[in-house]
Amino acid sequence: MTIELLNDKSVRQSYEADASGVRLLPEFVARPDSVEEVVEVMRRARSDNLPVTCAGAQSSTTAASITDRGILLSLRGLDTISDIDERGRTIRVGPGVFVADVKRTAATAGLLFAPDPTSEEESTIGGAIACNASGARTYKYGATRRYVQALTVVMANGEVKEFRRPNLEKNTVGYAFAHDPIDWFIGSEGTLGIVVDAELSLLPLPSEVIGLALFFATEEEALRFVIAARENRDVSPRCIEYFDNLALEIARQSPTGSTLPANANGMVYVEEEVLHDAHITLDRWAEFVGESSEIEPLVFQGEAKLREARQFRHSIPATMNERGGRHREAGGRKVSTDWAVPYRRLPEAIAIARRFSREAGVAQSVIYGHAGNGHPHQNFIARDSAELSTIEGVVEQTLQRVLSLGGTVAAEHGIGKIKRRWLPLQMNALQIAMMTAVKKQLDPQHLLAPGNIL
Ligand SMILES: Cc1cc2nc3c(=O)[nH]c(=O)nc-3n(C[C@H](O)[C@H](O)[C@H](O)COP(=O)(O)OP(=O)(O)OC[C@H]3O[C@@H](n4cnc5c(N)ncnc54)[C@H](O)[C@@H]3O)c2cc1C
């Protein structure tokens, strides 16, 4: 068996872009269909000293899955769902399986794969593991890491290793970061090893879920409501999402968004699992919402309706990506932020972020996302390279303040290449040295995903 390293320009061009707006043309492309072929690529890369950057579906917003150095390794061909253990609630999948397909397969067995990136129809399990992807429902269920039980990894030296989570309830052996080596690979953005197989844990599928869209006259009222919803004991949402007036404007134009009211300037979208009776769930919400919103809410009941809500939610990043793409020739693009703060600081953080863009004369950004986790996405459109550099200045200023509020510069999309310069804002020299030491140990030739994170 000899796997081809493709260098035809049109093939290489089909892998030069992800969702970051950046383009990097790889020198070679490899499209393995088996673990053995991945090993072969890694061995050849090692002997020819060629870097290897993994790609799933290339929905990364940080240029993590594109490269102009060496081999772009597409893992899409490893797309088998090999085993579902209904009683043990696990599923084994190849890295190239789409997240939504894992969810659909699990659902046929009455089970739920909980991580739910908005991009689930266009992103793979390998990418979700490598970025520790999360989503709206991470508010209740947690991020991908929690659901990874075992990984098969092709290491930088071509060895194949299996890592299994020990799930010990007690353990005092050695440094905590070495307890579960599996955790080194989750969120490592392809820099420490190539995931070729994963065993994921599943939850029981909720029998019914209700979605509620609540509308507010101002951003301040909507954000106050987010904090109240998080702290109230009578409601137990699985997500608390916020949409500002511009995000709502985009959502209204999506095929499923025409019922969103015109007079709202902010929307909070929540979902809750129905434990006993849908009416009881709705009554609790009605009582809690009380007079805090004067606009009639929308109720999303049943799978089809919930899908509609996901569609208008997804239209926001998708539209912003498309708008950013229009300015590529002039050196512009969409600039997306992924910062998060402790949830009570969210209103303050958003007000500061808006003030910084106003002061720099930048057009109002679109703000939407995982408010329940203190994690909004703030998206700008840079129309040319000059505007891009002004916006990046605003983002950096915002990130400094986010950190002073106890936040993080990247809560779910990772660092990739375009956020690398912000890593030292958050991590001190010792933390970066520790990460560099792990990288050196696992990938001494620095072959894997050069430019990502470090
Ligand atoms: C419209 C839109 C909405 C989004 N919404 C969310 C969201 O709600 N939550 C969220 O977390 N993210 C979101 N994202 C970001 C992105 O979809 C996620 O990071 C996703 O998990 C990436 O998966 P992918 O298959 O596209 O990976 P890619 O973009 O191909 O790769 C991402 C990273 O994973 C590495 N990688 C891929 N496969 C492997 C492998 N087998 N082994 C080792 N490393 C590998 C790559 O090298 C790269 O570093 C969104 C993106 C878009 C465009």
Side-chain angles (χ1 to χ4, degrees), residues 123-382:
S123 64
T124 63
I125 284 295
I129 292 169
C131 295
N132 189 24
S134 56
R137 300 171 194 161
T138 294
Y139 176 70
K140 178 179 170 95
Y141 303 127
T144 300
R145 184 183 303 278
R146 191 186 286 183
Y147 299 93
V148 180
Q149 284 304 318
L151 289 179
T152 307
V153 178
V154 174
M155 309 296 287
N157 63 5
E159 262 181 72
V160 181
K161 288 201 173 200
E162 186 172 336
F163 299 88
R164 181 163 286 279
R165 204 175 276 295
N167 287 327
L168 292 170
E169 287 179 10
K170 298 178 82 175
N171 184 10
T172 55
V173 177
Y175 301 141
F177 79 82
H179 284 178
D180 274 7
I182 198 168
D183 282 327
W184 301 340
F185 301 95
I186 304 164
S188 71
E189 302 184 32
T191 59
L192 300 181
I194 305 166
V195 174
V196 288
D197 192 66
E199 183 182 303
L200 307 167
S201 59
L202 305 168
L203 299 176
L205 191 68
S207 53
E208 191 180 358
V209 173
I210 284 190
L212 262 180
L214 303 155
F215 302 98
F216 299 86
T218 66
E219 177 157 272
E220 291 71 22
E221 284 173 32
L223 294 176
R224 258 200 309 276
F225 182 82
V226 166
I227 295 172
R230 202 178 144 138
E231 296 183 349
N232 186 281
R233 290 176 183 206
D234 297 326
V235 292
S236 19
R238 68 173 187 175
C239 70
I240 309 177
E241 297 278 294
Y242 169 63
F243 300 66
D244 77 356
N245 59 339
L246 292 183
L248 260 172
E249 223 171 271
I250 297 173
R252 278 188 201 105
Q253 281 157 27
S254 80
T256 58
S258 57
T259 50
L260 299 171
N263 56 342
N265 285 312
M267 173 173 85
V268 177
Y269 176 76
V270 295
E271 282 178 3
E272 183 169 319
E273 289 180 14
V274 175
L275 290 184
H276 304 293
D277 181 319
H279 291 110
I280 298 176
T281 308
L282 283 170
D283 285 350
R284 274 192 288 104
W285 274 98
E287 196 170 316
F288 165 56
V289 175
E291 288 172 5
S292 49
S293 163
E294 288 176 357
I295 307 170
E296 193 63 24
L298 291 178
V299 178
F300 298 83
Q301 206 165 353
E303 247 329 290
K305 279 292 190 190
L306 288 169
R307 237 188 339 268
E308 280 180 19
R310 278 189 85 72
Q311 276 168 10
F312 67 63
R313 161 78 174 72
H314 179 264
S315 72
I316 298 159
T319 303
M320 292 303 280
N321 285 344
E322 191 258 314
R323 285 183 187 170
R326 288 184 211 151
H327 304 288
R328 199 164 56 80
E329 298 289 297
R333 61 175 169 85
K334 170 181 127 173
V335 178
S336 63
T337 71
D338 181 30
W339 52 261
V341 288
Y343 72 94
R344 283 188 175 175
R345 312 304 294 265
L346 189 62
E348 189 182 352
I350 288 184
I352 290 168
R354 290 211 189 278
R355 178 159 63 79
F356 287 154
S357 21
R358 229 178 9 253
E359 285 170 1
V362 168
Q364 198 197 334
S365 54
V366 174
I367 297 186
Y368 67 96
H370 321 307
N373 288 119
H375 176 207
H377 292 302
Q378 184 186 16
N379 286 184
F380 301 86
I381 300 298

Side-chain angles (χ1 to χ4, degrees), residues 54 56-60 64-65 118-119 123-124 130 133-134 189 195 412-413:
C54 292
Q58 295 190 299
S59 66
S60 165
S65 50
T118 316
S119 53
S123 64
T124 63
S134 56
E189 302 184 32
V195 174
E412 73 179 8
H413 293 176

Side-chain angles (χ1 to χ4, degrees), residues 381-433:
I381 300 298
R383 287 166 298 183
D384 54 35
S385 48
E387 213 166 60
L388 179 61
S389 103
T390 311
I391 289 171
E392 285 182 337
V394 169
V395 170
E396 184 154 334
Q397 207 181 1
T398 306
L399 294 180
Q400 299 272 15
R401 288 300 290 273
V402 158
L403 289 172
S404 74
L405 296 174
T408 174
V409 302
E412 73 179 8
H413 293 176
I415 290 286
K417 297 179 181 65
I418 62 179
K419 296 186 178 169
R420 201 178 54 206
R421 65 182 187 281
W422 293 323
L423 185 77
L425 295 182
Q426 184 164 338
M427 284 194 154
N428 64 35
L430 179 60
Q431 287 172 297
I432 293 173

